[in-house]
Amino acid sequence: KGNPIPLSLVSAGTGFFTDVNDAFLHGSGYSREEVIGKSPSELNIFVNESEFAEFSKDIRENYHVRGRELKCRTKDGEIKTCRFSSSIIMIQGMPQILSSVEDITKEKQNEAAMREREERYRLIMKNAHEGIMMNELTPHGPGTFFDANDSALKILGMSDEELKNRRLIDLDTPEMKARAPAMMRKITKNGHAAFQTHYITPDNHEKIIDISVSQFDLNQVPTMLSIIRDITEEKAAESAINAMVTGMVGATGIKSLDRIVSSISTWLFADCVMIGELSPDRKYVKSLSMIFEGKKIDNFTFRLEGTPCVDTISEGFAFYPDNVTEVYPEIRAIINRDFRGYIGVPLKNSEGDIVGVLCILSYSSINPGISVQEIIDIIAGKAGADIERSQIERVLIENQQRLAETMEMANLVSWEYDIASQLFTLNDRFYAMYGTTAEREGGYEMTAERYTREFVYPSDIQKVIDEARRTLEASDPDFISDFEHQIIRRDGEVRNISVRVRAVFDEHGNLVKTHGANQDITERKIIEEAVLNANRQLNLLSSITRHDILNKISVFYGYLRLLEMESDNPAILEYVQKMTEVIKKIQTQIEFSRIYEVLGSQIPLWFSLSSILPLSSVPDTVHFSDNTSGISLFSDPMLERVFYNLLDNSIRHGEHVTEISVFSQERNRSLTIIYEDNGVGILPEEKERIFERGYGKNTGLGLFLVREILSLTNITI
C-alpha cells in the first residue's frame, strides 16, 4: 500500500486476481471489487491474448520473467504499453504470481518519434541532390566533418573516409581562405552565411560550388551544417546566355561582331576569338573582328588550307576540346602558338550561303560544361546576319559614293515633298545648285510657296504650279511628271533645269509625298538653241535657194514650151521632150528637199498611233483595220507622213489591195508595229533596196523618207 509502482497478485492455480495495490487500480481505471476474483482475460486487459498466454507460460516454466512488454487496455479502452516483471512466490502455502507493471507508453512514443526523426534524417541525407555535411565548431574554428551524404561526396570527388579528415576551410581556394575569417565572423554573428567558391577536385577538375552554412547546437555541441551545390554548369550556362545576349542585343554590323567576340572570349576564357569573312575565291579568311591574348587585332588574314576552318566550312560545327594542334599542326605557322582547344562554326547569310567563319582557340582545353553547340549556333546566326549587313552597308556606301559622283557629273540633285506638312526636304547638293547653303536658308526644310517665290523664274511660276497640281491630282502609282523651267540662283544667275517628279501613295491609295530630281540643263539648252538657230539659218538659206531655183525652172519651162510650139522638127521635139522629163525630176527632187529639211527640226513627242493613221485618205474600196488602241510612240512630228507613205505605196503598187491592217506585238520588252496589206507584195531580193534613196517605180524617195523619219527616234523599219 502506498507503493507508486502498480503491483498485482494472481493465483498461479486459478489465474484470478487475488490482490492489487492502489497504483494498479489508478493506472487501470478499475476498482478493487471489479478486479479481485476476475482473470485478466475476463477484464479484457491484454490487447493480444496470445502474447499474454505466452507470457503466462514463460512464468510457470521459468518462475521469473523480467521486462516483458505487452499492450494493455484500461477500463475506458485506452491502449498503453506496459513493461511486466513477474515472479512466482508462495503466500500461505499457495503459489502466487507477483507482477510489477511499468507504464512505458510515453517512453515508447518518444522512441518511435526518435526512430522517425532518424529515418527522416537518413532519407533526406540519402535523397537530397544538394550536398549536406556537418562538422563541429571548435574554439579554434571549424573542425573536421563527421557526417556527409553521397551527394556531397560526389560533388567534392571524395570518399567518406577522405572527407572526415578535412575541414571546411580545406575545401577553399587560396582566395577563399583569405575570406574565411570574415565569413566565420558573419556566421557567428548571424548564425548563417552563403557564398560561392572555386574548388579543385582531387582529380584536378575545377568546379564552382555554392555553399550555405548554418550554425546550431547538436546535443549541446556547437555544430555547422553546410549545404553545397555544384553550380559549374549553371555558371557556364549563365556565361553562355550572357555571351549570347551581349552579342545579339544593342548593336548591328561590325559593332555587333566586336561585342560577340568579346563576350565569347569572356565566356570560354578563350585566348583567341575571331569572326572572319571569306574571300571571293573562298581560299582566305579576313578578320572582321578579332581578340588575341586580350588585345584587339585588326586586318588579320590567313589561308584556309591546313586549318580546321576548312572542315568547319565544309562540314559545319567543329569542336576539338584538347588536341586541335595535333590534328592541324599548320596552326602553329599562322599564330606561332600551340593551341589545344578549338570551336568553329560557319556563318551564313539569309540565303543560306556561307559568308564567313567563327573561330575560338584556347591554349588549354575547352570544357564549357554545357552543350556548347546550341549557344554557338545561335550566336553564329546573329554573326552571319551582321556580316551580311556589313557587306550590304559596304555596297550601299560604295553605291552612294558612285551615285553622288554620277549625280555630280550629271548636275543632278534630289528632293522630297511631304503632303501633310507641305514642306520640301532638301540637301546640301540641292542648295549648291541654287547657289546657297542650308545655313543661309534656315535649315533643310522649305515651304513650297517660298521655293516658288524665291527660286522659280517669274515667267515659269505658273508652269510649276500647274505641274504641281497635276501631280497632286494623280492616282496612278506609276505617275511621273517631266518638265523644264528656269530658276534664279541666290547670286541672280538664271539657269535651266529639267524636273522629274514621282508620286508616292500609301496602302489606301492616298498621296503621301512626292520626290524628284532636278538636273541643270543650262549648257544643253544653250547648245540646243545654237543648233536650232543654225538649222533655222540653213532652212532659210535652203528655202531661198529652192525658191530661186524653182523660179528659174519655171522660166526654163516657158522657153521649152515656146521652142516646142515654134518647131516642127521631130529631132528637136524629141530633145525638148527629154529636157522636159529631166526638168520634172529636178523639180521633184527640189520639192523633196522641202520635206527633208524639216526633219529633226522639231522636238520629238508622244503620239497616239490611232490618232495619226491616215484613215481619211483610205479609198472606199479598201477596208482599213486599226488594232493599235492604247499604243503611243515617241517620235518626230512627221510620224504621220510615215503611215501616209505606206498607204500610198499600198494603193499605188499593191495592184489589187482590198484589206489593210495595223496591229502590234510585244515581246522581250520590245514593241513591233505591223502594217500589212493583201496586195501583190514585194520580191524578197527587193525588200531591203526599196528603202534606198532613188530606188523604186515612182520618185524612189517615199520609203527612204519613212526610214529617215523613224530613225530620228531609233525606230527601225
Side-chain angles (χ1 to χ4, degrees):
K1 186 176 180 181
N3 194 329
I5 299 176
L7 299 173
S8 68
L9 281 178
V10 176
S11 171
T14 63
F16 298 134
F17 283 104
T18 57
D19 200 2
V20 292
N21 67 351
D22 292 341
F24 181 93
L25 296 174
H26 176 75
S28 66
Y30 289 99
S31 64
R32 181 175 295 275
E33 289 76 14
E34 292 174 316
V35 173
I36 300 304
K38 300 288 181 67
S39 70
S41 297
E42 288 180 282
L43 296 175
N44 199 23
I45 289 177
F46 293 98
V47 174
N48 192 323
E49 283 292 332
S50 61
E51 288 183 355
F52 171 64
E54 183 69 24
F55 173 53
S56 299
K57 179 181 176 184
D58 288 346
I59 295 172
R60 290 182 172 85
E61 291 178 351
N62 301 309
Y63 296 95
H64 300 284
V65 175
R66 303 258 180 215
R68 181 66 60 87
E69 296 178 4
L70 297 173
K71 293 285 187 183
C72 298
R73 185 182 292 108
T74 65
K75 181 180 178 181
D76 58 5
E78 182 182 359
I79 304 298
K80 294 184 178 182
T81 301
C82 299
R83 182 183 294 123
F84 286 81
S85 293
S86 302
S87 299
I88 295 179
I89 62 174
M90 299 300 292
I91 299 177
Q92 297 179 354
M94 296 296 294
Q96 302 283 327
I97 300 174
L98 173 64
S99 299
S100 66
V101 185
E102 182 183 359
D103 185 353
I104 60 171
T105 303
K106 289 186 178 180
E107 178 183 331
K108 284 298 194 181
Q109 289 174 344
N110 290 337
E111 288 179 358
M114 181 63 72
R115 285 194 301 272
E116 183 180 349
R117 284 196 295 271
E118 289 176 351
E119 180 65 14
R120 188 181 300 120
Y121 172 77
R122 187 187 67 80
L123 291 174
I124 291 174
M125 292 287 283
K126 180 179 179 180
N127 295 297
H129 292 292
E130 293 82 3
I132 302 174
M133 306 182 298
M134 286 189 288
N135 62 281
E136 292 184 0
L137 182 58
T138 70
H140 304 289
T144 57
F145 294 101
F146 62 81
D147 197 6
N149 66 352
D150 291 340
S151 294
L153 298 175
K154 182 178 180 181
I155 292 172
L156 298 176
M158 297 182 185
S159 66
D160 187 56
E161 292 299 323
E162 289 173 325
L163 181 63
K164 288 182 178 179
N165 292 322
R166 303 288 182 93
R167 300 169 300 162
L168 181 63
I169 196 171
D170 295 331
L171 305 179
D172 292 337
T173 60
E175 176 189 359
M176 199 62 207
K177 287 179 180 178
R179 296 166 52 192
M183 286 292 178
M184 284 306 304
R185 287 194 295 271
K186 185 176 181 180
I187 294 171
T188 303
K189 178 181 179 181
N190 301 324
H192 62 84
F195 54 94
Q196 295 175 358
T197 182
H198 286 267
Y199 169 71
I200 307 297
T201 65
D203 57 357
N204 205 35
H205 281 87
E206 183 175 357
K207 294 183 177 182
I208 302 175
I209 297 179
D210 181 80
I211 303 178
S212 176
V213 181
S214 299
Q215 179 183 337
F216 62 96
D217 288 339
L218 181 64
N219 298 327
Q220 299 181 345
V221 176
T223 304
M224 296 177 65
L225 172 69
S226 299
I227 308 295
I228 65 173
R229 290 191 307 120
D230 183 355
I231 59 171
T232 307
E233 290 195 5
E234 291 181 23
K235 285 294 183 180
E238 182 181 323
S239 296
I241 296 301
N242 287 337
M244 181 175 65
V245 173
T246 302
M248 298 183 69
V249 176
T252 57
I254 296 298
K255 290 183 178 179
S256 174
L257 299 182
D258 290 339
R259 295 182 63 174
I260 289 174
V261 165
S262 176
S263 58
I264 291 177
S265 179
T266 302
W267 164 34
L268 296 175
F269 303 101
D271 297 290
C272 180
V273 181
M274 185 207 70
I275 293 176
E277 181 180 20
L278 283 178
S279 62
D281 61 5
R282 302 175 70 83
K283 293 183 178 180
Y284 293 88
V285 173
K286 179 183 179 182
S287 70
L288 298 177
S289 182
M290 180 176 178
I291 290 180
F292 179 56
E293 296 181 344
K295 297 179 181 179
K296 193 174 187 305
I297 305 296
D298 296 321
N299 301 321
F300 181 78
T301 301
F302 65 93
R303 189 177 181 86
L304 274 172
E305 186 178 354
T307 71
C309 295
V310 173
D311 293 338
T312 300
I313 291 172
S314 61
E315 300 177 11
F317 182 84
F319 183 20
Y320 294 88
D322 198 42
N323 63 339
V324 67
T325 306
E326 296 175 12
V327 181
Y328 296 95
E330 292 188 27
I331 292 179
R332 297 190 190 97
I334 297 176
I335 308 183
N336 298 320
R337 295 287 193 280
D338 279 331
F339 288 104
R340 292 173 61 185
Y342 169 86
I343 298 174
V345 62
L347 306 178
K348 300 179 180 180
N349 61 17
S350 57
E351 300 295 327
D353 301 322
I354 296 176
V355 294
V357 62
L358 167 61
C359 300
I360 304 165
L361 291 157
S362 176
Y363 296 144
S364 58
S365 60
I366 296 179
N367 182 23
I370 60 171
S371 181
V372 68
Q373 182 172 354
E374 288 80 357
I375 301 297
I376 292 294
D377 282 342
I378 294 173
I379 296 175
K382 177 64 164 57
D386 286 325
I387 290 179
E388 182 177 22
R389 183 186 181 95
S390 68
Q391 291 174 338
I392 293 172
E393 289 175 347
R394 186 164 62 238
V395 172
L396 180 61
I397 291 172
E398 292 173 356
N399 288 340
Q400 287 175 337
Q401 292 173 344
R402 192 175 295 114
L403 177 61
E405 293 173 359
T406 303
M407 292 181 71
E408 183 74 31
M409 291 186 291
N411 290 328
L412 274 170
V413 298
S414 61
W415 52 266
E416 186 175 290
Y417 179 74
D418 183 72
I419 301 300
S421 65
Q422 298 184 348
L423 290 173
F424 280 109
T425 299
L426 311 173
N427 55 35
D428 290 328
R429 286 184 49 78
F430 185 95
Y431 281 136
M433 176 182 283
Y434 284 72
T436 185
T437 63
E439 182 179 4
R440 180 174 179 179
E441 303 303 332
Y444 292 100
E445 291 184 338
M446 183 180 295
T447 64
E449 185 275 330
R450 182 187 169 196
Y451 169 79
T452 305
R453 182 183 70 249
E454 298 186 13
F455 290 102
V456 178
Y457 194 74
S459 62
D460 287 344
I461 288 179
Q462 190 58 48
K463 179 195 290 188
V464 172
I465 292 174
D466 291 342
E467 284 295 332
R469 182 182 299 110
R470 195 164 71 90
T471 302
L472 294 175
E473 293 173 353
S475 58
D476 183 1
D478 296 323
F479 172 84
I480 293 179
S481 172
D482 191 348
F483 64 101
E484 298 176 1
H485 71 86
Q486 292 179 297
I487 62 169
I488 305 176
R489 287 164 45 99
R490 274 289 181 236
D491 57 10
E493 182 183 0
V494 177
R495 307 285 292 181
N496 289 277
I497 65 170
S498 171
V499 183
R500 287 180 68 84
V501 184
R502 178 178 286 278
V504 179
F505 301 86
D506 63 15
E507 64 274 14
H508 304 296
N510 300 316
L511 181 67
V512 293
K513 68 178 180 179
T514 62
H515 62 90
N518 295 3
Q519 183 178 25
D520 189 335
I521 59 170
T522 304
E523 283 72 23
R524 192 192 80 190
K525 295 295 288 186
I526 293 173
I527 294 172
E528 287 178 357
E529 188 63 31
V531 171
L532 288 175
N533 285 335
N535 282 338
R536 281 195 292 269
Q537 296 296 327
L538 290 173
N539 289 341
L540 178 60
L541 177 61
S542 176
S543 177
I544 294 172
T545 302
R546 185 171 55 252
H547 183 268
D548 290 343
I549 293 174
L550 288 175
N551 284 341
K552 297 294 189 275
I553 288 176
S554 297
V555 173
F556 197 76
Y557 263 128
Y559 283 120
L560 286 176
R561 182 62 178 161
L562 290 174
L563 181 60
E564 185 180 20
M565 292 172 60
E566 293 178 358
S567 176
D568 54 3
N569 188 332
I572 293 176
L573 291 177
E574 183 179 354
Y575 288 132
V576 170
Q577 180 64 33
K578 290 181 179 180
M579 285 189 288
T580 301
E581 291 176 359
V582 171
I583 290 298
K584 284 183 178 179
K585 289 183 178 180
I586 293 173
Q587 188 176 18
T588 300
Q589 290 175 344
I590 291 174
E591 289 295 335
F592 174 76
S593 71
R594 185 202 307 276
I595 299 172
Y596 198 74
E597 75 175 0
V598 299
L599 282 179
S601 62
Q602 302 180 70
I603 298 174
L605 300 171
W606 284 99
F607 293 95
S608 169
L609 191 52
S610 294
S611 67
I612 53 95
L613 293 178
L615 300 180
S616 60
S617 300
V618 178
D620 294 338
T621 56
V622 176
H623 177 261
F624 194 100
S625 176
D626 173 19
N627 296 296
T628 62
S629 176
I631 300 297
S632 293
L633 299 183
F634 186 70
S635 174
D636 188 275
M638 292 186 69
L639 179 65
E640 185 174 5
R641 194 169 189 88
V642 169
F643 289 93
Y644 179 83
N645 279 347
L646 293 177
L647 175 63
D648 181 66
N649 277 351
S650 293
I651 296 171
R652 188 186 298 273
H653 306 298
E655 298 183 6
H656 52 70
V657 173
T658 58
E659 295 284 342
I660 296 176
S661 65
V662 182
F663 57 95
S664 66
Q665 291 179 350
E666 187 173 359
R667 185 170 56 188
N668 298 329
R669 299 181 60 82
S670 179
L671 182 71
T672 301
I673 306 296
I674 300 174
Y675 175 98
E676 69 177 15
D677 61 40
N678 62 346
V680 295
I682 301 169
L683 295 174
E685 61 269 19
E686 293 186 349
K687 285 187 181 246
E688 279 300 319
R689 299 194 63 194
I690 60 175
F691 296 102
E692 296 176 3
R693 181 173 177 270
Y695 186 85
K697 297 178 181 179
N698 193 26
T699 64
L701 297 174
L703 291 179
F704 168 74
L705 180 63
V706 166
R707 174 171 278 183
E708 291 296 301
I709 293 171
L710 295 175
S711 68
L712 292 173
T713 50
N714 296 319
I715 303 175
T716 61
I717 181 168

